[in-house]
Amino acid sequence: MDAPTPAILKKPSVYAPKNGVDKERIERAVREILYAIGDDPQREGLLDTPKRVAKAYEEMFSGLASDPFEVLGTVFHENYRDIVMVRNIEVSSFCEHHLLPFRGTASIGYLPAKEGGVVGLSKLARLVEVFARRPQVQERLTTQIADALEAALDAEGVIVEIECEHSCMSFRGVKKSGSTTVTSTLRGVFRDDPQQQAMVLNLLRGGNKS
């Protein structure tokens, strides 16, 4: 019997690839912003700024045109029934409220299904990048990564934890540099089985240290 279609695939407005970035439109908008803040887009130092910003945005928001299930790619059916975890994956994203960056790390773990489905370790880092390269809030980023991994692997348990510093707090507003935001989600047996939860949290924290 074929596996059911993951629920995440039924949300094309969120997960399906979009059209390419309209760089000319970005350039026009950046010129207007420069005028609006009281500067002159025609002065020497700003002449190429709209083009540079458009190129940067194309890269920084490329996740909008990426399919997370293509990123996860081939699932290997190995005889492995223990936790897989990758810690301290670099995260660089943009807060959608002010379009200012937030940066930090993500850690991802999962317990394969009974069939033993696993993915290449680099795919977990790429999955983080796909969702991070979109206008985001950290809470949604955390759940999107977990949703995709849980659906693609039919994993028995999933954990995602992200810790980031937000420049919308450190550069503006309250201006509290050094403060970090931590978000986490546990799915399946990692949420419901106390023994599995204790085991995965111990791995996440680096194990017992003497």
Side-chain angles (χ1 to χ4, degrees), residues 27-92:
E27 289 180 34
R28 293 194 298 271
V30 171
R31 290 190 191 96
E32 286 302 311
I33 290 172
L34 291 172
Y35 279 124
I37 64 173
D39 214 326
D40 179 9
Q42 300 305 314
R43 68 177 176 85
E44 183 179 5
L46 293 178
L47 278 175
D48 291 327
T49 294
K51 187 173 295 185
R52 293 190 191 100
V53 172
K55 186 176 181 180
Y57 272 30
E58 181 179 39
E59 177 183 350
M60 292 186 295
F61 297 117
S62 60
L64 288 168
S66 299
D67 185 335
F69 288 93
E70 289 184 4
V71 166
L72 288 171
T74 304
V75 176
F76 301 97
H77 296 283
E78 301 289 342
N79 186 25
Y80 186 81
R81 292 286 296 122
D82 294 298
I83 297 169
V84 179
M85 181 172 289
V86 178
R87 298 186 307 198
N88 300 319
I89 301 167
E90 182 180 342
V91 174
S92 296

Side-chain angles (χ1 to χ4, degrees), residues 102-122:
F102 63 91
R103 299 191 65 187
T105 59
S107 295
I108 303 175
Y110 68 94
L111 182 66
K114 290 183 174 61
E115 293 77 14
V118 299
V119 293
L121 298 178
S122 65

Side-chain angles (χ1 to χ4, degrees), residues 8-177:
I8 195 172
L9 293 179
K10 298 176 182 177
K11 300 178 181 178
S13 62
V14 177
Y15 295 103
K18 306 294 191 299
N19 294 327
V21 171
D22 187 341
K23 289 191 285 186
E24 291 185 1
R25 191 171 185 178
I26 294 174
E27 289 180 34
R28 293 194 298 271
V30 171
R31 290 190 191 96
E32 286 302 311
I33 290 172
L34 291 172
Y35 279 124
I37 64 173
D39 214 326
D40 179 9
Q42 300 305 314
R43 68 177 176 85
E44 183 179 5
L46 293 178
L47 278 175
D48 291 327
T49 294
K51 187 173 295 185
R52 293 190 191 100
V53 172
K55 186 176 181 180
Y57 272 30
E58 181 179 39
E59 177 183 350
M60 292 186 295
F61 297 117
S62 60
L64 288 168
S66 299
D67 185 335
F69 288 93
E70 289 184 4
V71 166
L72 288 171
T74 304
V75 176
F76 301 97
H77 296 283
E78 301 289 342
N79 186 25
Y80 186 81
R81 292 286 296 122
D82 294 298
I83 297 169
V84 179
M85 181 172 289
V86 178
R87 298 186 307 198
N88 300 319
I89 301 167
E90 182 180 342
V91 174
S92 296
S93 190
F94 273 76
C95 171
E96 66 182 32
H97 299 148
H98 298 96
L99 288 185
L100 290 173
F102 63 91
R103 299 191 65 187
T105 59
S107 295
I108 303 175
Y110 68 94
L111 182 66
K114 290 183 174 61
E115 293 77 14
V118 299
V119 293
L121 298 178
S122 65
K123 303 300 184 183
L124 299 180
R126 179 68 181 130
L127 182 64
V128 172
E129 186 176 68
V130 163
F131 285 118
R133 289 180 179 268
R134 304 176 179 195
Q136 275 290 9
V137 293
Q138 187 174 322
E139 296 89 343
R140 184 171 67 238
L141 175 60
T142 305
T143 59
Q144 284 180 334
I145 294 168
D147 286 345
L149 191 59
E150 186 178 30
L153 297 184
D154 193 25
E156 289 194 17
V158 169
I159 185 170
V160 178
E161 181 173 283
I162 299 178
E163 181 172 1
C164 290
E165 180 174 357
H166 291 247
S167 58
C168 58
M169 284 184 61
S170 57
F171 291 170
R172 57 162 299 281
V174 294
K175 298 181 181 176
K176 299 298 182 183
S177 62

